[in-house]
Amino acid sequence: MTDVHDGAKTEEPPAGVVVREGDYGDRVAAVEPGGAEFIPLDQRHGRPLKLFWTWTSPQLEFATIFLGVLAVAAFGLSFWQAAAAALLGSALGALAHGVLSARGPRHGVGQMVLGRVPFGFRGNALPATLNTIAGGVGWFAVNSVSATLALATLTDLPKPLCLVVVVGLQVTIGFFGHNLVHTVERYAFPVLAAVFAVASAIILSKADFGAPASGEGGGLGGFVIATAAAFGYAAGWNPYAADFTRYLPPDTGRRAVGISAGLGIFFGCTSLQIVGAAAVTIGGDALGDPTGTFTGHLPSLVAHLTLLAITLGAICANAINIYSGAMSFVTIGVRLPPALQRALAALGFGVLGLVVAFFGLADAGHAYETFLLVIAYWIGPWLGVVLTDMWLRRGEPIDALLFDKGHRNPAGPIAMAVAVVVSVALFCNQELYVGLVPKNVPEVGDVTFIAGFLLAALGYRVLGGAKRR
């Protein structure tokens, strides 16, 4: 038997897995060693409750508020329609997040390593690469811009300087790794919750809940697009889920893990999206100057505190983005010094994200709107394959497949790739491209993420994925 932190006991690691070397445990001021290997049993620690603030803190930032702003100002919904879209889309993304998070303690590996089962050892490079780009570069750049604009407004310092400060803090947290990320989210949570609670109360007290929609569109199409955006935002964290639960003792209750992680996503997303939608009903240039307009509704002291909270919230979000982006990168199999492969990958993506964010400062609002709407296009099909495989393999041991370089499962990448192409071709409704269905039936809106999920799930089943051994 092997001792585990928090008094838990369990058997030795499953046969065939690659165990991470190095002593890390629950130390915060230490660089997490290794990369995507199985976490040794004597290094396990923590309790499920910490997942609530780990996943709530990253949502308490202006990116979440702006999603609610878009629902009213860009998609043409009323406040109540926008609130319903936020609740529905976030609930779907949070539910999937809870299910995926619950697998981490049992298997002791990150989310993209678990993806080797439905996609095969080599085929898993498809979602791992997409997640590396989306998280380590895309989301990292978007949130860095959000934090930079808030910090520049608060301090009147040049935006490039603010960007360097923000990125430097984020990369430092991501470089040190898992324990520091959890610690930052924990201590940021009460600060963010208190500031945004006060700001939200003021915004809601001024809002005109019966105001007509201020943007073009609306109707069923606008509601579907807003729901898709809310889902994409919440589900955007799904490919990271097990990364932050794999250090928990293997006998940790799966229900407690899933509920804590899922509620963190749901509470953080819905609370500020609803406030963002309410802010638009007060007036102002919500799309042209989103941050300034939002804080302009607040008293001076609260506005300054809110700008500070926006900066802190974006840093919390990007600490997770750069960490899991690096985890996905090393899962692909790129060779780096074994002891520091994840840490070095985080450093590299921090530099790349800095460059991308710099060029995004000029037109932040428009770039963010486009990014939010397309992020779910690959996550929907990925989820369809992963969840279908989980269902078909329920009760079957999978640990031997996680590090088996000979494991092949072409049904996964084929089903996902076909679903992405077909769903975008038929249902995409963006400025650069409008699919066949919305082009002929505009009121349908954008159901790409739903279609992609269903097509991938069906395709994976038809292609014979998850053949039981």
Side-chain angles (χ1 to χ4, degrees), residues 173-309:
I173 299 169
F175 180 82
F176 274 84
H178 178 274
N179 293 342
L180 183 58
V181 172
H182 274 294
T183 301
V184 169
E185 309 297 348
R186 174 185 178 183
Y187 287 104
F189 173 70
V191 177
L192 294 171
V195 173
F196 279 118
V198 173
S200 298
I202 295 173
I203 294 294
L204 293 174
S205 70
K206 295 181 177 182
D208 179 4
F209 299 116
S214 59
E216 298 181 359
L220 178 61
F223 181 81
V224 170
I225 293 178
T227 302
F231 168 78
Y233 188 80
W237 303 105
N238 288 177
Y240 308 167
D243 295 354
F244 295 93
T245 61
R246 73 193 200 281
Y247 273 87
L248 292 171
D251 59 352
T252 303
R254 299 181 67 185
R255 179 175 298 181
V257 172
I259 290 176
S260 296
L263 281 181
I265 294 286
F266 180 76
F267 175 76
C269 287
T270 56
S271 59
L272 290 194
Q273 284 179 48
I274 290 173
V275 171
V280 180
T281 68
I282 304 175
D285 188 9
L287 292 179
D289 181 21
T291 305
T293 301
F294 182 83
T295 56
H297 300 314
L298 304 171
S300 179
L301 176 60
V302 178
H304 289 159
L305 290 174
T306 301
L307 287 170
L308 185 61

Side-chain angles (χ1 to χ4, degrees), residues 92 224 227-228 231 376 380 423 427 446-456:
L92 292 173
V224 170
T227 302
F231 168 78
S423 62
F427 300 102
D446 191 329
V447 295
T448 309
F449 79 98
I450 300 175
F453 176 89
L454 295 176
L455 285 171

Side-chain angles (χ1 to χ4, degrees), residues 31-35 171 174-177 326 330 339-348:
V31 177
E32 179 187 4
V171 172
F175 180 82
F176 274 84
V330 299
L340 291 174
Q341 53 181 316
R342 182 213 52 79
L344 292 176
L347 184 62

Side-chain angles (χ1 to χ4, degrees), residues 3-9 25-26 41-46 249 251:
D3 288 326
V4 180
H5 289 257
D6 298 329
K9 297 274 190 178
D26 57 2
L41 303 180
D42 62 352
Q43 301 288 299
R44 304 293 188 93
H45 61 277
D251 59 352

Side-chain angles (χ1 to χ4, degrees), residues 293-382:
T293 301
F294 182 83
T295 56
H297 300 314
L298 304 171
S300 179
L301 176 60
V302 178
H304 289 159
L305 290 174
T306 301
L307 287 170
L308 185 61
I310 288 172
T311 304
L312 178 59
I315 291 172
C316 287
N318 269 351
I320 287 180
N321 283 319
I322 196 169
Y323 179 84
S324 283
M327 284 286 295
S328 296
F329 182 72
V330 299
T331 301
I332 297 172
V334 178
R335 293 183 178 274
L336 292 171
L340 291 174
Q341 53 181 316
R342 182 213 52 79
L344 292 176
L347 184 62
F349 283 113
V351 174
L352 182 58
L354 172 65
V355 175
V356 175
F358 177 79
F359 289 103
L361 288 173
D363 190 16
H366 185 268
Y368 181 54
E369 176 183 347
T370 302
F371 182 76
L372 271 177
L373 294 175
V374 303
I375 189 62
Y377 287 178
W378 79 269
I379 292 179
W382 173 79

